[in-house]
Amino acid sequence: MLFRTGRLTACLALAACGSAAHAAGYALIEQNASGLGNAYAGQAASAQDASTIFFNPAGMTMLPDRQVVLAGHLIKPGAEFGGTVTPNIGGGDGGDAGDLAFVPNAYFAFRLTPEVHLGIGAFAPFGLKTEYDSTWVGRVHAIESELKTINVNPSIAWKLSDALSLGAGVSIQYIEATLTNATGAGLPPAVGAVKGDDYGWGYNLGLLWQASERTRFGLAYRSKIDHTLEGDLKVNGIVAATPVYADVTLPDSVSLSAFHRVNDRWDVMADVSWMGWSSFDLLNIVNGAGASIVPPTTENWDDSYRVALGANYRLNDRLTLRGGIAYDETPVSDQFRTARIPDEDRTWLAFGAQYRLSPSSLIDVGYAHLFVSDARIDETRGGLLLSGEYDSAVDILSVQLTHTF
């Protein structure tokens, strides 16, 4: 099976290692550990280290001559289904569709001239993996849904004046997808699996305005990226169709952030972000000749917003404490929710700390718990109605080393 449409946004995405999406939809905002403790509030304006390459490349003008950032995230999503399928075909509840994952990112930035900075980042801007027991009641709807993305992002920043900086970057992105489900209601199930991959490219832009000595604002845009995946279809491990294709568009996004240093002890930050999920309107599975294998699935996702507030408290010259809250609006309505992406609104509660190891080295740690609203599902596929609710949550633990030289 395969999905294809001229305006289709990916129904799946994954970081470098298996994981579930942690921002609403399937966006991965875990691009550093230094921002996790603030629930990623104000990241387009804070420019605290080289990870600003992802959040706002213009922020590189705030950095020292050369800096490297290495970060890793342990992420434990959980998604447990409770409900029925009609008619009853037997099977369990699928178990926990999430699993523990490790997701890395890395950045390097340096000053080329007094006004120009260059940098490069490696990260995954989207992520999702769901996997159920192969004999669960919804096996015809979905078993495994996974898509891996790796993004390399060379960037440049130009300091126009003491108040204004501009930034830009190019994204070279690799994508690899896997979709599986039972081809019929019988047990043990015959499993159809499609796999494909592709390369694509996009760009990102940023502006940083130093409004006063203590206050700055950031505006950042990251473009959509179009892919056409090519791969094959297998049933129980035997090739049934090759080649097969999938048109995928990963959505664009805009972030507006503010950062304010209240005094020598306190910083506060806030932001609002928009993501263009409305391009995900249809899931149409086709063979290599372009013929639909199953009836198309209407997705009809909506554009969504994320808002966040955070604060830093400098306990002393070496230790800074962080806290933050955020709200992620889901792009998925109850009417169009599927077992592949049982997404719902989520609320972040985060805290973290930064410790100065030496004049040139910092270590950041952060933790966040995501409270995910119960997700109602009523999805019909193959004449079977999957009806029930998902109980979901996410825990994230991140560590980062920053070294200036």
Side-chain angles (χ1 to χ4, degrees):
M1 61 181 191
L2 187 71
F3 52 96
R4 187 183 181 94
T5 177
R7 295 183 59 218
L8 180 66
T9 304
C11 71
L12 320 163
L14 183 73
C17 302
S19 67
H22 311 116
Y26 52 79
L28 277 173
I29 197 171
E30 294 88 345
Q31 304 302 333
N32 63 25
S34 53
L36 176 62
N38 300 128
Y40 294 106
Q43 289 297 288
S46 59
Q48 73 268 33
D49 54 52
S51 64
T52 191
I53 290 168
F54 173 84
F55 294 100
N56 182 355
M60 287 191 291
T61 62
M62 302 285 294
L63 302 181
D65 287 348
R66 292 181 301 276
Q67 189 176 86
V68 62
V69 167
L70 300 173
H73 314 270
L74 282 174
I75 306 171
K76 180 58 179 77
E80 296 185 355
F81 172 77
T84 61
V85 66
T86 307
N88 185 359
I89 60 172
D93 60 11
D96 189 346
D99 199 4
L100 181 67
F102 175 73
V103 178
N105 8 83
Y107 305 90
F108 173 64
F110 68 97
R111 187 190 305 271
L112 184 65
T113 72
E115 294 81 25
V116 178
H117 289 244
L118 300 178
I120 188 168
F123 49 83
F126 298 95
L128 173 76
K129 180 180 179 182
T130 54
E131 186 171 8
Y132 304 88
D133 299 337
S134 62
T135 57
W136 82 297
V137 295
R139 56 190 177 273
V140 171
H141 299 74
I143 297 176
E144 181 183 3
S145 304
E146 178 179 3
L147 191 151
K148 302 176 182 178
T149 62
I150 299 174
N151 205 91
V152 178
N153 194 178
S155 303
I156 185 171
W158 179 27
K159 189 171 185 178
L160 278 71
S161 67
D162 289 341
L164 186 63
S165 297
L166 301 178
V170 175
S171 289
I172 301 102
Q173 189 174 97
Y174 172 75
I175 187 171
E176 178 184 299
T178 301
L179 293 172
T180 77
N181 61 260
T183 60
L187 289 172
V191 177
V194 63
K195 293 185 178 182
D197 61 4
D198 186 44
Y199 289 90
W201 73 276
Y203 63 92
N204 60 311
L205 305 171
L207 179 150
L208 190 69
W209 176 39
Q210 190 76 42
S212 69
E213 183 180 353
R214 293 180 177 268
T215 305
R216 57 183 176 268
F217 298 92
L219 179 65
Y221 172 76
R222 190 166 284 275
S223 76
K224 66 181 182 180
I225 298 182
D226 295 320
H227 291 279
T228 299
L229 285 74
E230 180 177 347
D232 57 33
L233 165 66
K234 295 181 180 179
V235 178
N236 285 347
I238 299 172
V239 175
T242 188
V244 294
Y245 303 94
D247 292 337
V248 174
T249 299
L250 300 179
D252 55 349
S253 62
V254 179
S255 294
L256 176 63
S257 298
F259 177 94
H260 177 67
R261 176 153 292 187
V262 179
N263 53 41
D264 291 343
R265 294 288 188 184
W266 286 96
D267 305 324
V268 294
M269 61 282 296
D271 67 33
V272 58
S273 299
W274 168 93
M275 187 158 278
W277 292 114
S278 59
S279 56
F280 189 11
D281 54 6
L282 185 68
L283 177 64
N284 186 20
I285 300 170
V286 303
N287 59 23
S292 295
I293 299 173
V294 297
T297 300
T298 300
E299 300 289 352
N300 281 350
W301 281 25
D302 300 316
D303 296 341
S304 67
Y305 289 87
R306 183 182 195 273
V307 294
L309 296 171
N312 296 329
Y313 177 71
R314 280 174 291 280
L315 189 64
N316 53 49
D317 291 342
R318 286 199 156 188
L319 182 61
T320 298
L321 305 179
R322 307 184 191 276
I325 58 173
Y327 176 75
D328 265 331
E329 179 188 31
T330 182
V332 184
S333 65
D334 289 350
Q335 180 182 357
F336 297 107
R337 185 170 292 110
T338 69
R340 294 200 183 278
I341 313 178
D343 191 67
E344 249 295 2
D345 298 337
R346 60 202 66 196
T347 300
W348 292 59
L349 179 61
F351 60 89
Q354 180 183 86
Y355 183 74
R356 182 169 293 280
L357 299 170
S358 72
S360 60
S361 297
L362 300 167
I363 187 168
D364 282 272
V365 295
Y367 169 78
H369 180 79
L370 280 59
F371 301 87
V372 183
S373 300
D374 291 344
R376 180 70 195 176
I377 185 170
D378 290 285
E379 180 190 6
T380 299
R381 181 163 296 277
L384 301 171
L385 172 62
L386 183 68
S387 181
E389 283 189 345
Y390 282 88
D391 182 14
S392 302
V394 183
D395 290 287
I396 306 166
L397 178 65
S398 301
V399 178
Q400 174 181 313
L401 177 65
T402 303
H403 182 67
T404 301
F405 57 100

